[in-house]
Amino acid sequence: MSNYLFLALIFGFLCQGCINKDCDFDGVKYEFELLASLSPAKDTFRIGDTILISSSFSDDVFEVNSQRTYNLVNFRFHPGTGMYKIDTFPAIDDGLQFFEVYISPEYSYQRVGEELLGQYNYENGVYSLAFKLVPREPGLYYLEQGSALFPVDEWQDFPGKCKYISSDARVTLNGGSDNNIGLLSDSPDPHYNAWILSDPDDLFYKFGGYCFYVVE
């Protein structure tokens, strides 16, 4: 055995003890779980009803792939709200036009194009966001209350972060209830009645999906 190969083997053996065991988990990204709620949690609303979407959680945030909790201070999660009117083909992407939107001035959250975008408030170790939607047009609607770190903030640093792993986030809406996912089958658009239903966890639940009717 050459001296070079012998030294390489010794170096490799010694470096095994240098590997951070916390970086060895199933996933190419951190996937932080954010909690939100939609209330009242009904499958049918009437024109003029008030729908409250709120989110409040500690800065000790659970990460799905490593099954660990990380302390994320002033982390930029980039929450976003999309609303789609899905009783037509093709569906109408700007479903927010059929709602009145009420957001308190204390929140940095606003209409940008077809979505609501902004940031959570962060105070005393707690992230928070809340706003109200009032429907004014009947139909079948699909709401997403998600979070998007890619591409601007996926490499934010935090205690315990592994160097070569980026970050993402998912939103668990209403404690992981079914959120009327079956109503997607009523849409004539195959994006909703087939594609999303082909992988509900990745295409519906991780984006804080919720489906509902509005009637007169």
Side-chain angles (χ1 to χ4, degrees), residues 147-197:
S147 175
L149 304 182
F150 175 83
V152 292
D153 273 327
E154 62 176 332
W155 295 103
Q156 292 175 80
D157 199 14
F158 53 87
K161 182 185 182 301
C162 300
K163 185 175 181 180
Y164 300 108
I165 300 178
S166 61
S167 297
D168 203 350
R170 63 180 294 153
V171 174
T172 297
L173 186 68
N174 291 344
S177 67
D178 80 333
N179 294 328
N180 308 318
I181 189 173
L183 294 182
L184 292 177
S185 297
D186 294 349
S187 172
D189 190 327
H191 178 84
Y192 299 96
N193 68 37
W195 185 70
I196 290 179
L197 291 174

Side-chain angles (χ1 to χ4, degrees), residues 111-132:
R111 179 81 181 257
V112 179
E114 298 175 347
E115 301 177 295
L116 301 177
L117 299 172
Q119 291 291 347
Y120 291 97
N121 281 8
Y122 179 70
E123 187 175 1
N124 297 323
V126 175
Y127 292 93
S128 64
L129 174 66
F131 58 95
K132 296 176 181 179

